[in-house]
């Protein structure tokens, strides 16, 4: 019922910043808990950040705390991931995901999400 489209990725140097966007279709965006995941070359997809429906609560993987910031603008049906001080190990395809479930206990578990975008490539050189 919802389509997610990521954008904002690209090739940057270590220390640079990027802001990823995830645009969602429909009028029920506020009903969805949202998350960002990433998949690095040769590795499995992993949790990066999550945000509650109102945006009041955010959650981060330990590896990105203090470096990445997730936010949402429900009026624009968009969730963002601000990525600062990027390092080569952040190179990955970044995916946004949405959960429409009533029972939800973990932003980390990708099995709790129902909809996924196609991903946007982030490549950090040096």
């Amino acid at each position: 019922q919802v389509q997610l489209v990521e954008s904002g990725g690209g090739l940057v140097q270590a220390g640079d910043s990027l802001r990823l966007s995830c645009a969602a279709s429909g009028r029920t965006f506020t009903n969805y808990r949202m998350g960002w995941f990433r998949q690095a070359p040769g590795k499995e997809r992993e949790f990066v950040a999550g945000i509650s429906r109102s945006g009041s609560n955010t959650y981060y993987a330990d590896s990105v705390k203090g470096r990445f910031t997730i936010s949402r603008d429900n009026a624009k049906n968009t969730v963002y991931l601000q990525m600062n001080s990027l390092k080569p190990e952040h190179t990955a395809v970044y995916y946004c995901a949405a959960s429409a479930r009533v029972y939800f206990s973990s932003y980390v578990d990708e099995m709790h999400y129902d909809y996924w975008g196609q991903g946007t490539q982030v490549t950090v050189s040096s």
Side-chain angles (χ1 to χ4, degrees):
Q1 288 187 289
V2 61
Q3 182 177 3
L4 306 175
V5 180
E6 302 96 335
S7 62
L11 174 62
V12 298
Q13 297 183 28
D16 285 353
S17 298
L18 280 175
R19 189 180 76 160
L20 306 183
S21 298
C22 176
S25 64
R27 298 179 60 198
T28 58
F29 181 68
T30 57
N31 292 335
Y32 303 130
R33 298 173 176 90
M34 301 294 295
W36 285 98
F37 292 76
R38 68 186 177 194
Q39 186 166 213
K43 297 186 177 181
E44 297 189 7
R45 188 161 57 191
E46 65 177 354
F47 170 77
V48 176
I51 190 167
S52 62
R53 289 169 290 183
S54 68
S56 297
N57 301 107
T58 57
Y59 308 86
Y60 299 95
D62 288 341
S63 61
V64 304
K65 289 180 179 178
R67 192 185 302 270
F68 291 4
T69 302
I70 187 172
S71 62
R72 67 191 296 164
D73 186 339
N74 288 341
K76 296 182 178 180
N77 282 17
T78 302
V79 63
Y80 305 95
L81 184 68
Q82 178 68 45
M83 305 185 295
N84 297 328
S85 301
L86 285 164
K87 297 180 178 180
E89 53 260 43
H90 297 136
T91 294
V93 177
Y94 284 73
Y95 300 89
C96 66
S99 176
R101 304 181 187 190
V102 175
Y103 298 101
F104 189 94
S105 61
S106 176
Y107 284 87
V108 175
D109 189 351
E110 65 181 72
M111 296 301 296
H112 288 203
Y113 295 85
D114 303 291
Y115 309 103
W116 294 83
Q118 294 300 305
T120 185
Q121 177 71 49
V122 173
T123 303
V124 185
S125 65
S126 298

